[in-house]
Amino acid sequence: MNRLKQLFGKFGMVFLLLFFISACMDDNPPIPLGEFEKGVLIMNEGAFGANDGEVFHYDPSSGEIKANIFESKNGRPFAGLLQDMVAAEGRLYLVANTGKVEIVDPRDFASMGAVSSGLDISRSIVAANEKLYISDWGPYDANFNSPDSYIAVVESLNGGEISQKIPVSSRPEGMFMVGNQLLVACTAGQKLDVISLNTDEKTKSLEVAGRPTGFFEAEGRLYLFARDGENVFFHEINKSSVEVIGTVTVNLPLSTSNFALMGNGEMLIITSTGWPDYNDAIARVSLSNGQVLNASVFTGSGLYGIGFHKDRGEIYVTDNNGFQGNGTVIILNKEGQQQKTFVAGRGPSGFKFN
């Protein structure tokens, strides 16, 4: 009998221990994803003058589309031309090239703040050291040039007033943070500018071939994307020295700055004849050797934004429909065969895949 009691006692202790562990685990259950933290966010630029930029949400599993999610959540229109959409520090930054930044909670799109004054033609944003750095063309001069471009500094991740404007080369676009340095692609200046995040001062300005627009990483390497009328340039950047250590040149006339990484060392780039014909195509190129693998994976008129959904192996491309009414999202397989289309907002121009 005593042995039986001892046996039950041991099992009882084990049971209590397992119950205690289970209870502790239940105290910290996984936090469910918010409504807009999964699926695809579609950035709709909006039409000049109407300033009707907005964000749509698309669920690839169900096919459900939710329109104008900023206005739906906050009870007011976005009221700007949406230029960029950047996730950082638990926030989603919506940059309008009409001179403002809206900051939302990526879970439900509730407003968390804004930068609503002091900007001119804002292009993109980076969060670093509890600050915001916003690239801005600055005001046009009499000839519509941009001699007074800058990076605006805001001292809070939730926006507010601009504390400083750091002068940079003409027409800064995309940025990339490496250690304590901020790299800035300056399109009109054809420069790669470098800003110290310790002093908030420009420390270096490198001339590059083509008009640089943005940075991307592939297989652990950092590249600066640039182009001219005939070629696309992939400038490889040494992350330590911030110097150009090599350039892959792709002979791709009529290229635009709209591109997407596919993986496996390949990239998709939209080409366009421009006004008035707008004979557009998606080219697939090799990042390693600059070879054009397929100059016309898909063709159309008004192709505007592009993205690649790695998990689903699908190409997403947009048709702006001449900004006459709403645009269209076209989903293709890797080979460029059309799988699905649906209506988006005015001037759909980019995607964020969650």
Side-chain angles (χ1 to χ4, degrees), residues 62-89:
S62 67
E64 183 182 9
I65 301 166
K66 295 181 180 178
N68 304 330
I69 60 177
F70 179 90
E71 181 174 9
S72 296
K73 180 62 182 182
N74 298 293
R76 57 184 174 87
F78 177 74
L81 295 177
L82 188 52
Q83 176 67 34
D84 203 359
M85 188 164 54
V86 177
E89 301 292 342

Side-chain angles (χ1 to χ4, degrees), residues 129-208:
N129 299 339
E130 299 299 313
K131 299 179 184 179
L132 300 177
Y133 293 83
I134 306 165
S135 57
D136 198 300
W137 286 7
Y140 290 126
D141 65 12
N143 297 312
F144 292 97
N145 295 316
S146 306
D148 299 315
S149 297
Y150 57 86
I151 304 299
V153 183
V154 177
E155 301 287 336
S156 169
L157 296 176
N158 287 333
E161 299 299 317
I162 293 171
S163 63
Q164 180 183 354
K165 292 182 177 180
I166 307 169
V168 293
S169 301
S170 183
R171 297 192 177 178
E173 293 281 352
M175 297 175 287
F176 193 91
M177 185 173 62
V178 176
N180 66 343
Q181 300 182 97
L182 182 65
L183 282 56
V184 185
C186 299
T187 304
Q190 294 186 247
K191 299 285 183 65
L192 164 59
D193 282 3
V194 182
I195 292 172
S196 168
L197 295 174
N198 292 331
T199 62
D200 285 345
E201 295 178 345
K202 186 171 78 172
T203 60
K204 184 186 295 188
S205 188
L206 304 175
E207 291 188 8
V208 295

Side-chain angles (χ1 to χ4, degrees), residues 112-132:
M112 299 178 71
V115 181
S116 55
S117 62
L119 296 170
D120 292 283
I121 305 172
S122 34
R123 307 296 290 178
S124 192
I125 193 167
V126 164
N129 299 339
E130 299 299 313
K131 299 179 184 179
L132 300 177

Side-chain angles (χ1 to χ4, degrees), residues 279-299:
N279 294 317
D280 304 336
I282 299 174
R284 183 165 60 92
V285 305
S286 169
L287 180 59
S288 59
N289 60 25
Q291 181 182 356
V292 178
L293 304 173
N294 187 338
S296 54
V297 173
F298 182 79
T299 60

Side-chain angles (χ1 to χ4, degrees), residues 180-348:
N180 66 343
Q181 300 182 97
L182 182 65
L183 282 56
V184 185
C186 299
T187 304
Q190 294 186 247
K191 299 285 183 65
L192 164 59
D193 282 3
V194 182
I195 292 172
S196 168
L197 295 174
N198 292 331
T199 62
D200 285 345
E201 295 178 345
K202 186 171 78 172
T203 60
K204 184 186 295 188
S205 188
L206 304 175
E207 291 188 8
V208 295
R211 299 182 299 276
T213 54
F215 302 87
F216 65 92
E217 288 185 291
E219 299 178 349
R221 296 179 175 182
L222 176 62
Y223 293 90
L224 173 64
F225 179 97
R227 64 188 180 90
D228 60 19
E230 296 295 323
N231 302 294
V232 169
F233 305 96
F234 303 135
H235 299 297
E236 185 176 353
I237 310 298
N238 183 293
K239 295 181 182 180
S240 299
S241 63
V242 192
E243 297 286 348
V244 177
I245 57 175
T247 298
V248 175
T249 302
V250 184
N251 181 233
L252 190 66
L254 307 175
S255 63
T256 71
S257 58
N258 298 316
F259 66 88
L261 286 172
M262 287 189 73
N264 298 321
E266 295 181 4
M267 176 179 282
L268 302 167
I269 302 172
I270 293 179
T271 62
S272 178
T273 59
W275 187 87
D277 299 320
Y278 286 104
N279 294 317
D280 304 336
I282 299 174
R284 183 165 60 92
V285 305
S286 169
L287 180 59
S288 59
N289 60 25
Q291 181 182 356
V292 178
L293 304 173
N294 187 338
S296 54
V297 173
F298 182 79
T299 60
S301 177
L303 302 186
Y304 199 54
I306 191 167
F308 185 71
H309 198 308
K310 293 181 181 179
D311 293 340
R312 298 177 65 87
E314 295 173 332
I315 302 168
Y316 281 59
V317 64
T318 70
D319 184 336
N320 61 31
N321 292 333
F323 289 87
Q324 303 301 308
N326 289 345
T328 303
V329 172
I330 306 164
I331 301 177
L332 315 169
N333 62 19
K334 286 184 178 180
E335 288 70 42
Q337 298 166 330
Q338 185 172 306
Q339 306 295 300
K340 181 175 182 175
T341 67
F342 59 86
V343 174
R346 186 81 68 91

